[in-house]
Amino acid sequence: SEKDREFQEKIDRGVRIEANDWMPEGYRKTLIRQISQHAHSEIVGQLPEGNWITRAPSLQRKAILLAKVQDEAGHGLYLYCAAETLGISRDEMTAQLLSGKAKYSSIFNYPTLTWADIGAVGWLVDGAAIMNQVPLQRCSYGPYSRAMIRVCKEESFHQRQGFDIMRQLCQGTDDQKAMAQDALDRWWWPSLMMFGPSDKDSVHSEQSTKWGIKQNTNDELRQKFVDQTVPQAGWLGLTVPDPDLAWNEEKGGHDFGEPDWSEFHEVLRGNGPCNRDRLAARNKAWDDGAWYRDGLTAHAEKRRNMVAEGAA
Amino acid sequence: SEKDREFQEKIDRGVRIEANDWMPEGYRKTLIRQISQHAHSEIVGQLPEGNWITRAPSLQRKAILLAKVQDEAGHGLYLYCAAETLGISRDEMTAQLLSGKAKYSSIFNYPTLTWADIGAVGWLVDGAAIMNQVPLQRCSYGPYSRAMIRVCKEESFHQRQGFDIMRQLCQGTDDQKAMAQDALDRWWWPSLMMFGPSDKDSVHSEQSTKWGIKQNTNDELRQKFVDQTVPQAGWLGLTVPDPDLAWNEEKGGHDFGEPDWSEFHEVLRGNGPCNRDRLAARNKAWDDGAWYRDGLTAHAEKRRNMVAEGAA
Amino acid sequence: MDPLVTFCLRMGDTTLILGQQTAAWCGHAPVLEEDIAFANMGLDLIGQTQLWYEIAAQAEGQGRTPDDLAFFRTERQFLNAQLVERPNVDFAHALMRQYLFDAWHLPIQEALCESGHQAIRELAQKSVKEVRYHIDRSRDLIVRLGDGSEESHAMMQGALDALWPYAADLMAIDAVEQALVGIGMLPPLDRVACAFEAETAVTLDRATLAIPGNGHARTGGRTGIHTETMGYILAEMQQIPRSFPDARW
Amino acid sequence: MDPLVTFCLRMGDTTLILGQQTAAWCGHAPVLEEDIAFANMGLDLIGQTQLWYEIAAQAEGQGRTPDDLAFFRTERQFLNAQLVERPNVDFAHALMRQYLFDAWHLPIQEALCESGHQAIRELAQKSVKEVRYHIDRSRDLIVRLGDGSEESHAMMQGALDALWPYAADLMAIDAVEQALVGIGMLPPLDRVACAFEAETAVTLDRATLAIPGNGHARTGGRTGIHTETMGYILAEMQQIPRSFPDARW
């Protein structure tokens, strides 16, 4: 249609789309799906890291981790707000998460088993997330773009903190070094999977690219992540658990092995190590908190009635 | 009445009263109160000791503690059965415990704060309990008397195990010795209070003695306990926390200080350190288990119906 | 032990254990805003803990670090008020525990702003701003949930009934504080209990909550006597440092 | 590590962690008879743990004691099946976990009665009697509560749905077991999984419970990969020995 054409021209000229602008239903839906999925990831992402707050091994690390988990909840908040500008309520999105209908980043279905996992999650998972998110700062939809600018700033801080945990472990006792290597071994492949399947196998990519929602292919970002991370692992004295990993002078980047995509699809289908536990934790929090939400609503109601009576 | 007189004669002749024999209402009530209170004490007594099963510091100590707590639950079972012979159901007694109407031994309203407390509870609390219970093996009511014979045998085993924990601690590191002394400091006075107030202040004593339910005065038993325990403390190298404690050659026993009876009465009134927590734990266990009890009843019902149909 | 060290441990242990309990709600609170608020309060409390432990460690002069104090003492050596170790039964308990703590924490921090000990004075001047923010938030929630639905009222009253007896342990003052008042290191602390009474009387009344009558005072935390929940908190908190005693993190 | 040591740790860690979880019900079960039964099962499981650790310690020959193995290893060194570390959500979970464990434990102990390793054979001959008693009890309860009230049915089905995926970890066999079978130290273990399938198919059917269809197998415990509940179990279990590393108890 004419409107669709005009919309595409705006995108192509680099004009930001704002909440009250006309937009195609598909664009709206794609963004709602993507932003809410991103918000849910921040919310569920509190769980694997929150798992170590009470057990962080120093007061300083405890404070840093608390601040990080707080930031994640904050990111969830901005992102829900950005999604709400597209005409969906936070309660609707929450219901979709809790019923299992909405997805969140599969990486959070892996468990954090040792303190080193908190380092690895910051270093690798936040590292991969930033790769994915940096281009989104230039996303065609204004509210999402602005949310991402704020998110990215904090995420790169988190990544540095994660790396610092790894650094301390790698400079520590033999037990600590082994712990760091073990965490890298377990988080490496799931981190590579965070970029999604190869673009040739990815369903939504083409239209999203045209709409200025997606800027790079999954494979480009994965390559960039590997090229950034491998030297860091080297600096730490850790071994990346990929026998096929090798520097390719010609392409100016690393060759590396293929992640186990059957595992990826299993986790996506709900069969990852923690899918059940994550959803159960979120559902419990929501159900146990019903009295709280109802109580605040009842109080607000009372207040309104008092004001109305006062006015009458 | 004539019956009362005959009953008293039986008692005086040392004849055991059995469940189907005639007995005065007061005798029945006194026994129900005392036996159910004793049963409740075994049940609630699982909690302070059970608190350390998951944290017992060696596999052997863990096994011994588990066996002990299992014995206590078993004692609860015999004693409820003994009380049931007097015409009250276990459910009625449980309801009385859970509502706070029935009492249990106040000692279990003190917390077990360190592993040494498990030693002290075995040594002192079981020690005091045995002093109270040994005479009850000769109680005029047959079912109670027989239950107590079984209970006493196991209790004296528990006491030896508690003492053995203390012995190991007192032969251990400085930290362990300090832990043992600290436990004695905290459990000494509450243990002395287990014999109840001085007989001159005790309400039920006289009639119970006449009925052959009570054989010794509270003060006699307390004296016996002190005289038994003080040399054991000495052997362990621990200091009994009573500045008035002294050997009295003339009476052939120890002089000792007066427990803080205001504390005793506070605990009895529900204001001890753990009264609330103990009742809450028992109520939670009962409420959370409703589905289990109802489920078994429903299954039994189904079975009965099937049998009835088969028979028809 | 030097009364100054004891006092700082009483304060720092109390903020640490509350911070630990508060932080456990991250990701499990009834709404996202509470996830954030509880993380934020936890963060402030851990920060205050570090400051108290620094003063304690310095006064003690035995080379122990704040982390040594947090991770290598046993239950009987922790001097926190019993209130803060009471369990996270439900979110009502968490809110009420926080409120009762705040109602004490604000006046004591205000008092400590006049401490004769420079580091304590500076700590208090920094913390008091955080604490004001905490109590504004928790007071508001107590009122709204106490005077909310029938269920929320019942939840909050249940939490108050369970926790009120432990408030006394916050206010407990003994020879330690008296000694420090005597040498001018602490200002007189009587007004703290008065302020607590005034704050709670007004707020709980607005919240339509009844202060339990038979609330016998539970004390002992300040001398290392705790409740049975405390050991489990420490087991979890100290696990990693105790498992790797030679490691730095 | 010597396959024999690994195998004994897999067995002993599994009985230890289940014993730990089982024992936590003492004083908190729905009826007094269950308090007693759970204490009794816990006792048997701890006893079996001691025997497995003795064989492991002896085979290892590094002077470690059974207590060293229980209290001074870290999470990644524990080789128990994930099933037994799943939390005590409610008593239905506790019963279902026990039943699924028993349904594996009986056939493996029966198989081990024919082990070529004398100490293992003796252990199995002793344990198998206990295990028979356990499964008689837990099978009976699964049937009665599954085919009980609507609520008890729903509780047991919920527990089955949650726990079934973890049963696979009990049956997991790798090069360790294969090596031991190869040298005749273990009898072939294939029949264990068959016996498990047969036992559960019949019993769960009698209990009117449906085996979850999408039950993807969760494994990893046997190589030290656990679930997030495991760390908390160890923190509690190991607290005292780790806090006083020089002490004997």
Side-chain angles (χ1 to χ4, degrees):
Chain A
S1 77
E2 180 62 17
K3 276 184 153 175
D4 280 301
R5 216 172 36 75
E6 281 173 18
F7 178 81
Q8 187 62 50
E9 277 172 18
K10 263 173 86 174
I11 301 265
D12 295 343
R13 287 201 316 273
V15 177
R16 283 273 178 287
I17 310 301
E18 293 299 333
N20 296 324
D21 296 349
W22 183 89
M23 62 188 79
E25 239 352 79
Y27 179 84
R28 182 188 304 275
K29 277 193 180 150
T30 300
L31 275 171
I32 287 180
R33 198 191 64 239
Q34 182 169 332
I35 303 174
S36 67
Q37 190 168 321
H38 189 167
H40 297 328
S41 299
E42 299 282 357
I43 301 312
V44 177
Q46 290 181 90
L47 299 173
E49 301 200 277
N51 185 38
W52 281 88
I53 294 175
T54 58
R55 292 179 292 168
S58 79
L59 292 171
Q60 194 53 33
R61 295 287 182 199
K62 192 188 289 283
I64 291 170
L65 183 55
L66 257 170
K68 180 180 178 187
V69 176
Q70 183 186 10
D71 284 349
E72 277 158 12
H75 297 172
L77 209 52
Y78 320 150
L79 288 162
Y80 281 131
C81 291
E84 283 184 315
T85 64
L86 292 159
I88 185 170
S89 72
R90 205 211 294 183
D91 279 357
E92 283 174 84
M93 290 184 272
T94 300
Q96 289 173 356
L97 171 64
L98 297 181
S99 72
K101 194 186 150 203
K103 296 284 174 215
Y104 55 85
S105 179
S106 271
I107 194 77
F108 299 123
N109 290 316
Y110 289 87
T112 51
L113 299 182
T114 73
W115 170 250
D117 288 23
I118 298 304
V121 167
W123 174 35
L124 302 174
V125 175
D126 289 335
I130 293 168
M131 290 279 163
N132 273 327
Q133 290 165 4
V134 161
L136 291 173
Q137 296 178 98
R138 304 186 310 275
C139 165
S140 60
Y141 187 58
Y144 191 26
S145 154
R146 289 188 292 273
M148 290 319 296
I149 290 170
R150 206 165 151 187
V151 167
C152 280
K153 208 174 110 195
E154 294 179 353
E155 290 285 8
S156 68
F157 194 56
H158 297 165
Q159 199 210 356
R160 279 204 299 280
Q161 291 167 339
F163 188 77
D164 191 61
I165 291 176
M166 295 303 275
R167 182 196 54 72
Q168 180 96 47
L169 293 173
C170 290
Q171 294 172 356
T173 65
D174 289 348
D175 281 340
Q176 287 179 298
K177 279 176 221 161
M179 198 187 271
Q181 181 64 54
D182 173 55
L184 174 57
D185 291 347
R186 285 182 290 106
W187 288 94
W188 176 256
W189 293 110
S191 300
L192 291 198
M193 293 183 205
M194 284 179 71
F195 299 96
S198 185
D199 299 84
K200 56 186 190 301
D201 309 320
S202 183
V203 270
H204 303 294
S205 290
E206 201 184 334
Q207 181 62 66
S208 285
T209 307
K210 223 174 120 195
W211 276 335
I213 298 174
K214 194 177 167 82
Q215 329 259 356
N216 303 79
T217 71
N218 294 349
D219 289 328
E220 280 166 17
L221 293 170
R222 184 165 21 241
Q223 180 71 49
K224 208 172 154 190
F225 175 76
V226 171
D227 291 338
Q228 173 186 294
T229 309
V230 168
Q232 294 172 341
W235 187 88
L236 289 169
L238 296 176
T239 305
V240 174
D242 178 355
D244 297 332
L245 187 76
W247 176 252
N248 181 330
E249 189 61 49
E250 200 172 329
K251 77 172 184 191
H254 292 82
D255 293 332
F256 54 95
E258 193 69 18
D260 177 358
W261 292 109
S262 67
E263 177 179 315
F264 177 79
H265 290 292
E266 272 304 323
V267 178
L268 211 61
R269 276 170 47 204
N271 294 323
C274 303
N275 299 58
R276 244 192 123 88
D277 288 347
R278 298 292 181 240
L279 271 192
R282 289 308 305 164
N283 272 290
K284 184 175 188 316
W286 188 253
D287 295 344
D288 288 355
W291 72 271
Y292 168 97
R293 298 186 301 274
D294 295 346
L296 291 189
T297 309
H299 181 81
E301 186 88 357
K302 282 185 189 174
R303 277 292 183 79
R304 262 197 304 279
N305 291 345
M306 272 170 57
V307 171
E309 275 170 37
Chain B
S1 77
E2 179 64 16
K3 276 184 152 178
D4 281 302
R5 216 171 36 78
E6 281 173 19
F7 179 82
Q8 187 61 50
E9 278 172 18
K10 264 172 89 174
I11 301 265
D12 295 343
R13 286 202 314 275
V15 176
R16 284 272 179 286
I17 309 300
E18 294 300 333
N20 296 322
D21 296 348
W22 183 89
M23 61 188 81
E25 235 0 75
Y27 179 84
R28 182 187 303 275
K29 278 195 179 147
T30 300
L31 275 171
I32 286 180
R33 199 191 63 237
Q34 181 169 334
I35 301 175
S36 69
Q37 189 169 319
H38 188 167
H40 297 327
S41 300
E42 299 282 356
I43 301 311
V44 176
Q46 290 182 89
L47 299 172
E49 302 200 278
N51 184 37
W52 282 89
I53 293 176
T54 59
R55 293 181 290 168
S58 79
L59 293 171
Q60 194 53 32
R61 294 288 182 199
K62 191 189 290 283
I64 291 170
L65 183 55
L66 257 169
K68 179 179 178 186
V69 176
Q70 182 186 9
D71 284 348
E72 277 158 11
H75 297 173
L77 208 54
Y78 321 148
L79 288 162
Y80 281 132
C81 291
E84 283 184 316
T85 63
L86 292 159
I88 185 170
S89 73
R90 206 212 292 184
D91 279 357
E92 283 175 86
M93 289 184 271
T94 300
Q96 288 173 356
L97 170 65
L98 296 181
S99 71
K101 194 186 150 202
K103 297 285 175 215
Y104 53 86
S105 178
S106 270
I107 193 78
F108 299 123
N109 290 316
Y110 289 86
T112 51
L113 300 181
T114 73
W115 171 250
D117 288 22
I118 298 304
V121 166
W123 173 36
L124 302 175
V125 174
D126 289 335
I130 294 167
M131 290 279 165
N132 273 327
Q133 290 165 4
V134 161
L136 291 173
Q137 297 179 101
R138 302 187 311 274
C139 164
S140 61
Y141 186 59
Y144 191 27
S145 153
R146 289 187 293 272
M148 291 318 297
I149 290 170
R150 209 164 150 187
V151 167
C152 281
K153 208 174 113 195
E154 294 179 354
E155 289 285 10
S156 69
F157 194 55
H158 298 164
Q159 199 210 356
R160 279 203 299 279
Q161 291 167 339
F163 187 77
D164 190 62
I165 291 176
M166 296 302 276
R167 182 195 54 72
Q168 180 98 45
L169 293 173
C170 290
Q171 294 172 355
T173 67
D174 288 349
D175 281 340
Q176 286 177 298
K177 277 176 222 160
M179 198 186 272
Q181 179 65 52
D182 173 54
L184 173 58
D185 291 347
R186 284 182 289 106
W187 288 95
W188 174 256
W189 293 110
S191 299
L192 291 198
M193 293 183 206
M194 283 178 71
F195 299 96
S198 185
D199 298 84
K200 57 186 190 296
D201 309 321
S202 184
V203 268
H204 304 293
S205 291
E206 199 183 336
Q207 179 64 66
S208 286
T209 307
K210 223 175 122 197
W211 275 335
I213 299 174
K214 195 178 167 82
Q215 328 261 356
N216 303 80
T217 72
N218 295 348
D219 289 329
E220 279 165 16
L221 292 170
R222 186 166 18 245
Q223 180 70 50
K224 206 170 158 193
F225 175 77
V226 170
D227 290 338
Q228 172 185 296
T229 309
V230 166
Q232 294 172 340
W235 186 88
L236 289 169
L238 297 176
T239 306
V240 173
D242 178 356
D244 297 332
L245 187 74
W247 176 255
N248 181 329
E249 189 61 49
E250 199 171 330
K251 78 173 181 188
H254 292 83
D255 292 333
F256 54 94
E258 193 69 18
D260 177 357
W261 292 109
S262 68
E263 177 180 315
F264 176 80
H265 290 292
E266 274 303 324
V267 177
L268 211 61
R269 274 172 47 204
N271 295 325
C274 303
N275 299 58
R276 245 192 123 88
D277 289 347
R278 298 290 182 242
L279 269 193
R282 289 308 305 165
N283 272 289
K284 183 173 188 316
W286 187 252
D287 294 345
D288 287 355
W291 72 272
Y292 168 98
R293 298 186 302 273
D294 295 346
L296 292 189
T297 308
H299 180 81
E301 186 90 356
K302 281 185 190 175
R303 278 290 183 79
R304 260 197 303 280
N305 291 344
M306 271 168 61
V307 170
E309 276 170 35
Chain C
M1 196 156 39
D2 176 354
L4 178 61
V5 177
T6 301
F7 179 75
C8 292
L9 290 179
R10 287 177 178 182
M11 296 298 295
D13 291 349
T14 298
T15 52
L16 174 58
I17 300 302
L18 184 59
Q20 185 75 358
Q21 300 267 69
T22 300
W25 284 98
C26 286
H28 305 279
V31 291
L32 190 46
E33 286 77 358
E34 290 289 349
D35 280 327
I36 297 173
F38 267 59
N40 184 55
M41 289 188 299
L43 198 51
D44 289 343
L45 291 164
I46 301 301
Q48 292 164 11
T49 304
Q50 288 175 294
L51 298 174
W52 282 116
Y53 283 176
E54 273 161 25
I55 304 176
Q58 193 148 16
E60 190 188 49
Q62 292 178 12
R64 291 205 286 186
T65 65
D67 282 345
D68 291 336
L69 295 174
F71 298 107
F72 291 95
R73 282 183 299 148
T74 58
E75 175 172 338
R76 293 283 280 108
Q77 294 165 334
F78 268 79
L79 306 181
N80 55 284
Q82 290 181 356
L83 175 74
V84 298
E85 73 204 36
R86 299 308 296 160
N88 283 328
V89 177
D90 54 35
F91 202 66
H93 277 71
L95 289 172
M96 186 57 77
R97 183 181 60 202
Q98 183 70 41
Y99 169 67
L100 294 175
F101 169 81
D102 291 340
W104 161 78
H105 204 206
L106 181 60
I108 197 163
Q109 290 288 8
E110 283 176 342
L112 294 177
C113 287
E114 298 157 28
S115 164
H117 186 286
Q118 190 188 342
I120 292 180
R121 200 168 56 241
E122 286 171 5
L123 181 158
Q125 284 161 354
K126 177 178 181 303
S127 302
V128 79
K129 291 172 214 150
E130 297 167 352
V131 178
R132 263 191 208 114
Y133 173 79
H134 296 174
I135 196 170
D136 284 349
R137 212 193 85 85
S138 61
R139 185 195 291 123
D140 177 58
L141 281 169
I142 296 298
V143 170
R144 286 158 71 199
L145 291 166
D147 185 19
S149 67
E150 211 171 302
E151 188 186 9
S152 75
H153 176 85
M155 296 281 291
M156 297 308 287
Q157 184 66 54
L160 180 61
D161 291 347
L163 294 170
W164 182 258
Y166 294 95
D169 206 23
L170 293 165
M171 256 80 67
I173 285 177
D174 64 15
V176 168
E177 281 83 7
Q178 282 157 3
L180 294 172
V181 172
I183 58 172
M185 221 175 249
L186 292 186
L189 294 174
D190 342 9
R191 54 179 152 157
V192 174
C194 297
F196 176 88
E197 297 300 336
E199 161 62 41
T200 52
V202 171
T203 298
L204 295 173
D205 182 63
R206 282 178 57 211
T208 72
L209 296 173
I211 294 179
N214 69 341
H216 190 77
R218 298 251 53 80
T219 59
R222 299 306 178 106
T223 52
I225 300 284
H226 295 284
T227 62
E228 288 178 359
T229 50
M230 182 70 178
Y232 298 93
I233 296 171
L234 293 185
E236 189 174 319
M237 184 174 84
Q238 300 182 333
Q239 181 195 23
I240 304 302
R242 293 234 188 236
S243 297
F244 303 94
D246 303 327
R248 296 191 58 242
W249 304 97
Chain D
M1 194 156 39
D2 176 355
L4 177 62
V5 177
T6 301
F7 178 75
C8 292
L9 289 177
R10 287 177 179 182
M11 296 298 295
D13 291 349
T14 299
T15 51
L16 174 57
I17 301 301
L18 183 59
Q20 185 75 0
Q21 300 266 72
T22 300
W25 283 99
C26 287
H28 304 281
V31 291
L32 188 47
E33 285 78 0
E34 290 290 349
D35 281 327
I36 296 173
F38 268 59
N40 183 56
M41 290 188 299
L43 196 52
D44 289 342
L45 290 164
I46 300 302
Q48 292 164 11
T49 304
Q50 289 175 293
L51 298 175
W52 282 116
Y53 283 177
E54 273 162 25
I55 305 176
Q58 192 149 16
E60 191 189 51
Q62 291 177 13
R64 291 205 284 186
T65 65
D67 282 346
D68 291 336
L69 294 174
F71 297 108
F72 290 96
R73 282 183 301 147
T74 59
E75 174 172 340
R76 295 281 280 107
Q77 294 165 333
F78 268 80
L79 306 182
N80 56 284
Q82 290 181 357
L83 175 75
V84 298
E85 73 204 38
R86 300 307 296 161
N88 283 329
V89 177
D90 54 35
F91 202 66
H93 277 71
L95 289 172
M96 187 58 76
R97 185 180 58 203
Q98 183 70 41
Y99 169 67
L100 294 175
F101 168 82
D102 291 340
W104 160 79
H105 205 208
L106 179 60
I108 197 164
Q109 292 287 8
E110 283 177 341
L112 294 176
C113 286
E114 299 156 30
S115 164
H117 187 288
Q118 189 189 342
I120 292 181
R121 200 166 57 240
E122 286 171 5
L123 181 158
Q125 284 161 353
K126 177 177 182 301
S127 301
V128 78
K129 290 172 217 151
E130 296 167 353
V131 178
R132 263 191 210 116
Y133 174 78
H134 295 174
I135 196 170
D136 283 350
R137 211 193 85 85
S138 61
R139 184 195 292 124
D140 177 59
L141 282 168
I142 296 297
V143 171
R144 286 157 73 198
L145 291 166
D147 186 19
S149 68
E150 212 171 301
E151 188 186 10
S152 74
H153 177 85
M155 295 282 289
M156 296 309 286
Q157 184 67 54
L160 180 61
D161 291 347
L163 295 171
W164 182 259
Y166 295 95
D169 207 22
L170 293 165
M171 257 79 67
I173 284 178
D174 65 14
V176 169
E177 282 83 7
Q178 281 157 5
L180 295 173
V181 172
I183 57 171
M185 218 174 250
L186 292 187
L189 294 174
D190 340 10
R191 55 178 152 157
V192 174
C194 295
F196 177 88
E197 297 302 334
E199 161 63 40
T200 52
V202 171
T203 298
L204 295 173
D205 181 63
R206 282 178 59 209
T208 73
L209 296 173
I211 295 180
N214 68 342
H216 192 77
R218 299 251 55 79
T219 59
R222 299 305 179 108
T223 53
I225 302 283
H226 295 284
T227 63
E228 287 178 358
T229 50
M230 182 69 180
Y232 299 93
I233 296 171
L234 293 185
E236 189 174 319
M237 184 175 83
Q238 298 182 335
Q239 181 194 22
I240 304 305
R242 292 229 187 242
S243 296
F244 302 94
D246 302 327
R248 294 189 61 243
W249 304 97

